[in-house]
Amino acid sequence: MAPELQSSQPWVEKYRPKQVKDVAHQDEVVRVLTNTLETSNCPHMLFYGPPGTGKTTTALAIAHQLFGPELYKSRVLELNASDDRGINVVRTKIKDFAAVAVRSGQHGGAYPCPPYKIIILDEADSMTEDAQNALRRTMESYSKITRFFFLCNYISRIIEPLASRCAKFRFKPLSGEIVSNRILHICNEEGLSLDAEALSTLSSISQGDLRRAITYLQGAARLFGSTILSKDLLSVSGVIPQEFVDALYAACKSGDFDLANKEVNNVIAEGYPVSQMLVQLFDVVVEADDVSDEQKARICKSLAAADKCLVDGADEYLQLLDVASNTMQALCNMPQEFSYES
Amino acid sequence: MLWVDKYRPKTLDQVMVHEDIAQNLKKLVTEQDCPHLLFYGPSGSGKKTLIMALLRQIFGSSAEKVKVENRTWKIYAGSRTIELELTTLSSTNHIELSPSDVGFQDRYVVQEIIKDMAKSRPIDIKGRKGYKVLVLNEVDKLSREAQYSLRRTMEKYSASCRLILCCNSSSKVTEAIRSRCLNVRINSPSEEQIVKVLEFIGKKEGLQLPPGFAARIAEKSNRSLRRAILSFETCRVQQYPFTSNQAIPPMDWEEYVSEIASDIMREQSPKKLFQIRGKLYELLINCIPPEIILKRLLYELLKKLDEELKHEVSHWAAYYEHRMRLGQKAIFHLEAFVAKFMSIYKAFLIETFG
C-alpha cells in the first residue's frame, strides 16, 4: 500500500500528542498535570530535560486542555527563542500580559478554564540572566492570576531564584521500548513497513530523542518509499559508516602521519560532520581492548578539546588532524610533550 | 559564459555526479511533500547546483527567473531602530539570502525577515503548492542566537514555508536545527567522476583531450568540481591543442603561499618574520580567507617536514586557527603561527645539526 503523503505537515507536528495523558513515559509530570486538570490549580512549573522528550508537547497540551480553543488566545502567551526576549520584552509584554485580570467562573463548555493565565517560556535557557532577573518580581506579584511554565534543556542555565519558585520536573530520555512503540504506531498510521532490525537501529541512533526518531523515519520514508531498511535510516541520520571510522583509527595505529592525513582529508571530502566523527571515534577508543587506560585518557582528552574548539567554530580539518595526531602519539607511545617547544 | 555556468545541470535528470541523490530528491518533491532540507558538504561538491535543480523541479521554469534585489529592512528592537541591508535573490516562489552577511545582527534577520516571509503565503489560483521556499546560505556562519531563533520558526510556519539550508560543515549547525531537517550529505565528487564530467565538457566543446590530461586536472583539483572545470578552461585559453604534458597552472595565491612556506624553511629570524607579515597582508587584502591561508600553509609545510615535527606543527596550526576564530584580527594569529613554527624548527635544527 502506498504511503499517504498528502498532508505537508511534518509528522513531528502531526503526531504531537494533544492530551496530557498521551504523553509517553513521563509519569510523574502526567500525574501532577492530570491532577491540575481536575482541581484547576497548579504551581509555576519548570520542565527540563534533553531534546525530544516532550516538554513543549506537555506544556501546549495542558494549556489547550485547560482553556479550549476559544479562550486559548486570550489566556496563553507562548514565547520562545524566536521571539525577542530581552529585558525589554520582560518589562513590557510579559508584564502587561501578566497584569491583565481574568474573569473567573467563565466556563467554556467542557474545559475547566481556571481563573488564571499561562505564560509559556520555551527554551528558557537562552534567556539572558538580566531578563530572568527581571522576571522574579513579576512572577510573585501576579502569581494569583498568572502561572509561568519554563521549558529548558539545561536547568543550570536558569538562575536559582527562578528555579526555586517553580515545581521542577525532569523529563527523562525515552527508553528504546517507548520509542519503538511510538514509531510502530506512526508506521501503522502511515502504512509503512519496518522490520525489527530497522526498528532497533532507529531507537539506537535516536538515543531517546523521539523527535529525532520521527524525523529520521519521515526522511527515510520520503526518500526510500514505504519499505524502510536499516541502512536507509543510517543514511538519513548522518551517522558515519563504520568503515570510515575504522580506517581512520587504523591509520592512527599505524603511526604513519601521512596516511592519517590522507584519511582525514578523505573524511572531510566525503562531507561527514567532524563532530559526529569525534563521537564515533570515542566509541571505538573506549571499547578497544588492546589500549591501556592511560592511552585512552590521553585520547579522550584530545577529543574533548577538539569538540570544544569545534563548538567555537574552529576549522574541521585542522581539528580532526590534531585529534588524529594526538591519537597516534598515544597509541604508538610517543612522548606526550613536544620536544622542540621553547 | 564560463563553462562552470554553461554546463551546470539545469534539471535533476541532467545531474552527472550525484545521480542517486538527485533521483531521491526528485521522488521527494513529486510526492508533493517536501520537508525542510539541510544540504551539507565541502565547497565545489554541487550543493547549489542541486538546490537550483530542485527548485526548478518544484516550481517549473519560473524558478529560473530570478531578480537580484538590495532590500532594506527596518527593525524595531526596543528603544532603537536598526536598518539592515541584505541582498536577496528571489523568484515568485522562492527567496534566497545569506543571513550571515549582516554580521552579528543576523539574529534580527532570522527573527524578523524570515518570520515576515514565512507568514505570507504565496497566492496560487489553482490552490496547489501552497508553500514558499526559502533558501538560506551559509547557515554554519550564523550566530548561536540566530540558530536558536530559527528552530521554533521552522516548526511554526512549516505549513506555509519550506526552508532549504545550505552549509559547509554540519558540525557548526546546532543539533536542534539538524533534527528538524532532512539532512542531505553531498560528498565531493571522486576523481573518476570529475574526469567523466571533464570529458563530457570536452566532447561538447569539440576539444581533443590527450589521454591522462583530464585525470591530471582532476588530481590537482582537490576533489572540487568547480575548480577542476575552471582550471580546465584556463588550460584551454592558454594553449590549444592540448599537449599531454601541458602544465596545469596552479592558483596564484597557492603559489604565493608555497613561496612563503619555503621562505620560512630557509631562514628563521625576526627580519624574515617581518617580511612574511607583508606577504600575509597581501594575501588577506586579496580576500583569501585566513583559515584557508593557514590550511594551505600547513599543507605546504607538512610536505617538507620530517615525520617527528609533523605532529607538533599540526597541533599548533589547529591551536592558532581556533584562536583566530575567537579573536578579531586574523593577521596576529597567522603571524603567531609562523613565529611558533620558526621557533620549533630552529630548535629542531640546532638539536640535529648543532
Side-chain angles (χ1 to χ4, degrees), chain A residues 7-8 80 82-83 123 215 222-223 257-258 269-273 275 312-313 315-316 325 329 338, chain B residues 27-28 33 40 115 149 151-152 162 169-171 179 185 187-188 223 307 310-312 321-322 325 343:
Chain A
S7 140
S8 56
N80 54 61
S82 58
D83 306 291
E123 293 145 27
T215 316
R222 293 293 160 64
L223 283 175
F257 187 88
D258 291 329
E270 286 294 319
Y272 291 113
S275 50
D312 288 339
D315 186 82
E316 294 197 308
S325 136
Q329 287 172 50
F338 292 129
Chain B
K27 210 154 64 184
L28 200 68
D33 188 7
Y40 63 97
K115 248 187 196 176
S149 330
R151 59 187 199 183
R152 188 67 191 146
R162 290 288 177 280
S169 70
S170 74
S171 302
S179 79
R185 179 176 60 87
N187 57 349
S188 299
R223 290 180 74 180
E307 189 76 13
K310 284 181 181 171
H311 293 287
E312 202 166 338
E321 199 276 336
H322 176 224
R325 195 65 61 147
S343 117

Side-chain angles (χ1 to χ4, degrees), chain B residues 136-330:
Chain B
L136 294 182
N137 291 321
E138 299 175 351
V139 261
D140 47 352
K141 292 204 183 113
L142 280 179
S143 66
R144 211 121 275 249
E145 289 83 15
Q147 294 196 20
Y148 273 123
S149 330
L150 198 57
R151 59 187 199 183
R152 188 67 191 146
T153 318
M154 286 169 80
E155 282 183 349
K156 223 167 173 176
Y157 304 108
S158 63
S160 60
C161 172
R162 290 288 177 280
L163 293 178
I164 296 183
L165 310 174
C166 178
C167 68
N168 280 134
S169 70
S170 74
S171 302
K172 290 175 202 164
V173 181
T174 56
E175 183 55 50
I177 289 183
R178 271 187 282 159
S179 79
R180 281 168 174 81
C181 295
L182 178 58
N183 296 4
V184 185
R185 179 176 60 87
I186 313 287
N187 57 349
S188 299
S190 67
E191 286 179 12
E192 294 86 62
Q193 281 170 322
I194 294 181
V195 169
K196 213 175 79 187
V197 174
L198 290 181
E199 276 167 357
F200 169 78
I201 293 177
K203 214 166 85 189
K204 285 267 173 181
E205 289 284 321
L207 301 176
Q208 290 291 325
L209 278 175
F213 185 63
R216 267 176 48 225
I217 294 181
E219 196 192 319
K220 288 258 169 155
S221 68
N222 224 345
R223 290 180 74 180
S224 157
L225 188 55
R226 177 178 30 224
R227 201 166 148 194
I229 299 176
L230 280 174
S231 57
F232 184 40
E233 196 171 1
T234 322
C235 290
R236 162 77 177 82
V237 175
Q238 271 186 342
Q239 188 186 358
Y240 185 78
F242 299 123
T243 52
S244 53
N245 58 352
Q246 181 175 349
I248 294 152
M251 304 284 226
D252 295 346
W253 68 270
E254 286 185 352
E255 225 166 348
Y256 207 70
V257 173
S258 110
E259 222 171 86
I260 294 179
S262 31
D263 277 358
I264 301 173
M265 299 292 282
R266 209 176 308 126
E267 189 187 329
Q268 299 84 33
S269 65
K271 193 170 134 251
K272 200 77 199 166
L273 188 60
F274 181 71
Q275 286 171 0
I276 285 167
R277 172 194 287 182
K279 291 193 172 175
L280 289 175
Y281 261 125
E282 187 85 1
L283 283 170
L284 288 172
I285 286 166
N286 284 306
C287 291
I288 312 286
E291 65 272 13
I292 306 268
I293 300 178
L294 189 66
K295 268 198 311 198
R296 187 73 198 179
L297 192 57
L298 177 68
Y299 170 80
E300 294 288 346
L301 291 174
L302 284 182
K303 275 203 303 201
K304 301 173 188 196
L305 278 180
D306 283 2
E307 189 76 13
E308 52 182 317
L309 276 181
K310 284 181 181 171
H311 293 287
E312 202 166 338
V313 172
S314 64
H315 169 77
W316 290 114
Y319 176 82
Y320 284 111
E321 199 276 336
H322 176 224
R323 292 268 289 253
M324 186 158 76
R325 195 65 61 147
L326 298 176
Q328 290 277 333
K329 277 279 216 187

